[in-house]
Amino acid sequence: MLLAIDVGNTNTVLGAFEGRKLLAHWYLETSARRTPDELGILVRQLFAWSGIDATQVTAVIVSSVVPPLQSNLRRMSETYFKTLPVFVGPGVKTGMPILYDNPREVGADRIVNAVAAFEKHHTGLIVVDFGTATTFDAVSPKGEYLGGAICPGITISMEALFQNASKLPRVEFSRPPHVVGRNTVHSMQSGLVYGFVGMADGLCERMKTELGFPAKIIATGEMAALVAGESKVIQEVDELLMLEGLRIIYGRNYAT
């Protein structure tokens, strides 16, 4: 059994795989203050709650954009799962050429998403990840990572409005009844939802024009479904793309 862990700046997603089958997945708040013991006990409790035997885990793979957590995750894996974790980064084979000026600058999460999307579709792609940051990543029809764009994320934008505009309340990211809001909450929701839809559609269209080849547009991330439902260009939503990518990369390095 493989335990895949995606550590984002806001949330951490975990998945337990038996072969290609995803048995269960869980979301946690990312906290750099959690000790290895806290992490280990929490993860094993999630396994138990889902009826999965944690002692069957034989491998752990991690994609992390939070460097301070790396040491604690390593110790957690060694203590509670008796295995040394694999961290996606330099030295780990992804099977995808990275045509970035400096490949080491590309976040592991962006590469993992790109690997999973190309393995599934085998065509030119734009992968949009609605995470802490909203990222756009282009993949060539040959399966090469070309680069992309990084924008503020939905949650960051919502918090910026709340914290920096004293009269604006904190609101839920949900579709308002009208684009033209008739009260402050609906006006903010309109700006957030349709603003991100417009940004996503506009950037994807510009990227497709510049790329010069047909590109399927895939969205991922917890808030992807709502944006995709209003988008004119997003063709598919895969919220667990990252976990699938981690499984694929582990197999390319440690296939039995």
Side-chain angles (χ1 to χ4, degrees):
M1 189 181 297
L2 172 68
L3 172 59
I5 305 174
D6 166 37
V7 183
N9 286 295
T10 304
N11 294 317
T12 296
V13 187
L14 305 94
F17 285 93
E18 191 169 65
R20 290 175 172 266
K21 183 180 180 182
L22 180 62
L23 300 178
H25 67 280
W26 310 277
Y27 292 90
L28 301 175
E29 180 186 13
T30 299
S31 173
R33 296 183 178 183
R34 284 200 178 110
T35 68
D37 291 327
E38 287 176 310
L39 288 166
I41 291 169
L42 182 54
V43 174
R44 287 184 71 103
Q45 285 178 333
L46 291 171
F47 270 77
W49 185 84
S50 299
I52 302 172
D53 184 359
T55 65
Q56 297 302 304
V57 172
T58 56
V60 177
I61 185 167
V62 180
S63 167
S64 176
V65 296
V66 185
L69 267 176
Q70 186 160 318
S71 174
N72 286 355
L73 285 166
R74 178 181 291 109
R75 289 163 59 194
M76 179 274 289
S77 179
E78 292 173 335
T79 301
Y80 289 88
F81 295 99
K82 309 302 180 186
T83 185
L84 187 66
V86 176
F87 287 90
V88 178
V92 172
K93 292 184 292 183
T94 64
M96 176 170 283
I98 302 173
L99 307 185
Y100 216 58
D101 290 343
N102 181 357
R104 291 175 179 268
E105 289 181 358
V106 188
D109 54 339
R110 300 174 71 186
I111 299 301
V112 175
N113 275 337
V115 166
F118 187 76
E119 179 71 12
K120 183 176 181 180
H121 298 283
H122 291 284
T123 188
L125 294 159
I126 297 172
V127 182
V128 189
D129 188 347
F130 294 96
T132 304
T134 302
T135 57
F136 298 75
D137 296 296
V139 180
S140 77
K142 296 180 181 179
E144 304 158 316
Y145 178 84
L146 302 176
I150 303 173
C151 308
I154 292 170
T155 302
I156 288 175
S157 298
M158 291 169 64
E159 287 300 307
L161 274 177
F162 172 73
Q163 292 176 9
N164 295 290
S166 58
K167 290 188 176 182
L168 296 183
R170 183 178 275 116
V171 298
E172 178 186 7
F173 187 76
S174 63
R175 185 186 297 108
H178 307 282
V179 178
V180 180
R182 298 194 175 107
N183 56 57
T184 300
V185 169
H186 288 167
S187 295
M188 292 175 68
Q189 289 175 331
S190 177
L192 288 163
V193 172
Y194 298 114
F196 270 89
V197 170
M199 179 185 73
D201 285 5
L203 263 174
C204 286
E205 290 288 5
R206 285 176 177 269
M207 288 175 71
K208 285 178 68 176
T209 299
E210 186 171 290
L211 290 170
F213 55 74
K216 185 166 187 175
I217 301 174
I218 311 297
T220 189
E222 289 183 67
M223 297 182 181
L226 176 55
V227 178
E230 299 295 329
S231 170
K232 296 178 181 179
V233 302
I234 294 173
Q235 296 163 276
E236 184 176 313
V237 175
D238 188 340
E239 293 185 14
L240 301 178
L241 194 65
M242 177 70 68
L243 294 181
E244 186 64 20
L246 287 170
R247 181 194 65 77
I248 292 166
I249 290 173
Y250 184 85
R252 289 178 178 175
N253 286 268
Y254 302 95
T256 54

